[in-house]
Amino acid sequence: MHVLFVIDPLPRLKAYKDSSVAMMRALVARGHTLSVAMQGDLFIDAGVVQARATGIELVADADLHGHHWWRDTGAAQDVPLSRFGAVLMRKDPPFDMEYVYSTHMLEYAQAQGARVFNDAAAIRNHPEKLAITEFAELAAPTLVTRDMARIKAFHAHHQDVIVKPLDGMGGTGIFRLQAAEPNLNAILETLTEDGTRTIMAQRYIPEIVQGDKRILLIGGEAVPYSLARIPLAGETRGNLAAGGRGVAQPLSERDREIAAIVAPRLAARGLLLVGLDVIGDYVTEVNVTSPTCFVEIAEQTGFDVAGMFAQALERAAA
């Protein structure tokens, strides 16, 4: 199978811990070939969705901390997406209008026979923070609004809340507002841009000190281990990008219960790979753009997450 990765520029990837690179390595080990394209390489000509794609091969025994872990196998060529065995959308956020346009092009490509994962419309229709509202019974009390008066009332009721932008990643823009927050007005004015930008508020979940768990769902099944991203002392964000420490651990009974509810529903929509963020007993995000943590879980437990993904992709693209 020839697999196209729509991805960020390869030199920017930290190959030693990047989940997309782990996918590539697992696919190559199973005899598949690879090409890559950037988001800007997607185009439509005469109604046909194509990509300016470059074939690559992985360098055996390469130092994954360096920049020479792959090599091009030839010049870039314009190729209809329908000619690939699978197209993996692994472009990282921001989820801006360019990203939306890309999902539209990928959706048109699917109508032309391309096999795109995750499904383009499903990615577009599952904003990662808002998506938890579909599973309200699994989430902590949550408010989504741009109305500062409503947010203040929510804060007054729960006393300890987290507020965050809907389009942030890696823990950016997240604030904890405790009962006596002297900068409440300034924080809300900044996040909502004076009431013109919608944000999310959630009741603070104290179990964050035990980690913000990433649970991976692949092909409708849960990886049996999560990665608990434990915040630095004095931090409220467990994101690895914010300095959190990742500790792999077996799924708890509650984790499995959550996965059993969420996984089949999302898999039925063409979401082959989903990353649930779970704090304590509550789902806090449903990540569908480019979920990560493959390498950390594999290194600490020996479970071949990328291999599980490769097998699921083979089944889905057959």
Side-chain angles (χ1 to χ4, degrees), residues 17 92-95 128-129 164-175 212 214 229 231-232 235-244 277 285 287 289-290 292-293:
K17 67 173 185 177
D92 278 343
F95 197 104
E128 299 187 325
K129 293 180 173 62
K164 52 189 174 182
L166 297 179
D167 58 354
M169 63 172 291
T172 58
I174 295 177
F175 291 87
D212 178 355
R214 168 59 55 84
R229 297 159 296 176
L232 292 170
E235 257 285 2
T236 59
R237 302 170 299 170
N239 310 73
L240 299 183
D277 288 349
E285 288 190 24
N287 297 276
T289 50
S290 55
T292 61
C293 299

